[in-house]
Amino acid sequence: MQRVMIVGGPGSGKSILARQLGERTGLPVFHMDQIHWLPGWVERSKEDKDRLSSEVHQQERWIFEGGHSRTYPERIARSDTFIWLDVPVWLRMIRVLRRSWRYRGQSRPDLTEGCPEQFNKETLKFLHFIWTTRHSARAKLLEVWQSPPPHLAVHRLKNLAEVRAFLETVKQS
């Protein structure tokens, strides 16, 4: 594993897995949320997100977690490992609520500094987004899972036990 793509819906555990995998492998970890957001929850332009994502893709070693599906073809072409956290939507929503409460008023480790977690009406809007995109977002990932390019090792992890079992297979650096 030299270039690892971790994907899944919001609250699936991508950031946590990326950090844990980075600790085990020594690979640098990149979070899409840090590319997506500028301080104050200002969204970057699609072009800037594309460019910054491409800069990560071009590196020789990385763990890159998160969405921005516009760049999936390039990321998949450069990845050697694809990890899909296919966690049930109800669990993802609970996790989002829990992290929103836990980090309220402060930035999470995987977010841009200056983007404090909120527990307010924006949280409800985010939960609505998770619910309404659950099928369309999953369909894109299912397509990669079902027909991966030959160079790509694919892993579909559906629960915490499977994530832990996967991590046990990864050698410490």
Side-chain angles (χ1 to χ4, degrees):
M1 274 191 290
Q2 294 297 306
R3 291 179 299 279
V4 181
M5 177 178 177
I6 301 176
V7 292
S12 61
K14 298 179 301 293
S15 298
I16 293 170
L17 176 58
R19 283 193 303 272
Q20 291 172 333
L21 200 52
E23 289 170 7
R24 291 184 85 81
T25 62
L27 294 170
V29 175
F30 298 90
H31 302 280
M32 180 53 74
D33 279 346
Q34 292 177 340
I35 289 174
H36 187 87
W37 297 110
L38 292 166
W41 292 102
V42 175
E43 185 177 351
R44 288 186 202 269
S45 70
K46 286 180 172 48
E47 295 76 22
D48 282 347
K49 289 187 277 189
D50 290 351
R51 178 181 52 76
L52 292 168
S53 295
S54 185
E55 288 175 10
V56 173
H57 301 158
Q58 295 312 309
Q59 296 181 34
E60 286 305 310
R61 303 175 71 241
W62 43 259
I63 296 169
F64 197 0
E65 67 87 7
H68 196 50
S69 60
R70 285 168 46 111
T71 62
Y72 280 0
E74 180 183 357
R75 197 173 320 162
I76 289 167
R78 291 283 298 150
S79 296
D80 55 40
T81 306
F82 174 88
I83 302 171
W84 175 21
L85 297 176
D86 189 18
V87 178
V89 68
W90 62 267
L91 179 57
R92 294 190 296 117
M93 293 174 84
I94 289 170
R95 288 176 174 176
V96 165
L97 282 170
R98 193 172 35 204
R99 79 178 183 205
S100 296
W101 180 256
R102 177 180 177 210
Y103 288 101
R104 68 191 180 286
Q106 54 188 317
S107 295
R108 294 190 325 263
D110 53 300
L111 274 175
T112 300
E113 190 61 40
C115 291
E117 191 65 60
Q118 305 169 48
F119 196 83
N120 56 20
K121 67 179 182 177
E122 297 303 317
T123 309
L124 295 177
K125 288 180 184 177
F126 189 49
L127 292 173
H128 182 260
F129 167 80
I130 292 169
W131 184 256
T132 58
T133 60
R134 69 191 185 282
H135 297 301
S136 59
R138 191 173 179 280
K140 290 177 185 178
L141 302 176
L142 185 60
E143 192 175 307
V144 176
W145 166 254
Q146 290 175 330
S147 301
H151 73 278
L152 193 64
V154 295
H155 304 274
R156 181 179 178 189
L157 309 175
K158 298 180 184 179
N159 55 54
L160 192 53
E162 290 182 5
V163 170
R164 287 182 181 140
F166 173 79
L167 282 170
E168 288 300 315
T169 68
V170 178
K171 293 180 179 158
Q172 295 277 93
S173 61

